[in-house]
Amino acid sequence: MPPRSTRAVDSLDDDDYPAYTMGRAAEMLGTTPAFLRALGEHRLITPLRSEGGHRRYSRYQLRVAARARELVDQGTPIEAACRIVILEDQLEEAQRINEQLRARSGATQSRASA
């Protein structure tokens, strides 16, 4: 029997794989397709498009949309919620890069003193 491709399995593990239709994404988030379109209009998430032009969302995008929905549910205007989520994401990325640089700097210093 020929070896089976692991490509399908890899797609399931990929947070950026556009696996969810707009309807399914809205259902999972407990929101409406209009809410997802609004997040796209405010450039919080940009869904990929299927060959037929339908929006497709990844797990990562659904997590981002869920965070925006939390803020909107708490009374934050959607424009502000999108900006907050973008800033939170940028801060998390900056902290990750900072930690990597510190770890690299610490490794270099320990080699230099040895």
Side-chain angles (χ1 to χ4, degrees):
M1 182 176 258
R4 295 171 68 183
S5 170
T6 59
R7 187 163 190 242
V9 173
D10 292 342
S11 296
L12 293 175
D13 292 333
D14 185 355
D15 260 3
D16 295 319
Y17 182 74
Y20 304 98
T21 63
M22 177 180 275
R24 179 68 180 130
E27 180 183 312
M28 291 170 67
L29 295 171
T31 189
T32 64
F35 179 78
L36 291 173
R37 283 191 294 274
L39 296 181
E41 290 169 12
H42 292 292
R43 297 192 172 127
L44 179 62
I45 56 176
T46 303
L48 291 167
R49 297 283 182 150
S50 69
E51 288 182 17
H54 299 282
R55 291 173 178 90
R56 305 283 296 187
Y57 297 88
S58 68
R59 287 187 304 197
Y60 172 76
Q61 290 172 324
L62 294 184
R63 283 195 302 273
V64 169
R67 175 65 181 130
R69 178 162 187 240
E70 286 175 15
L71 292 168
V72 169
D73 287 350
Q74 294 170 4
T76 306
I78 193 165
E79 300 85 11
C82 290
R83 187 68 184 139
I84 289 167
V85 174
I86 289 167
L87 290 170
E88 287 175 341
D89 193 47
Q90 289 173 344
L91 176 59
E92 184 179 313
E93 178 69 8
Q95 289 172 330
R96 185 187 62 75
I97 291 168
N98 193 19
E99 188 61 36
Q100 287 176 343
L101 292 173
R102 283 185 179 166
R104 203 175 305 152
S105 175
T108 303
Q109 287 177 358
S110 64
R111 276 188 258 142
S113 64

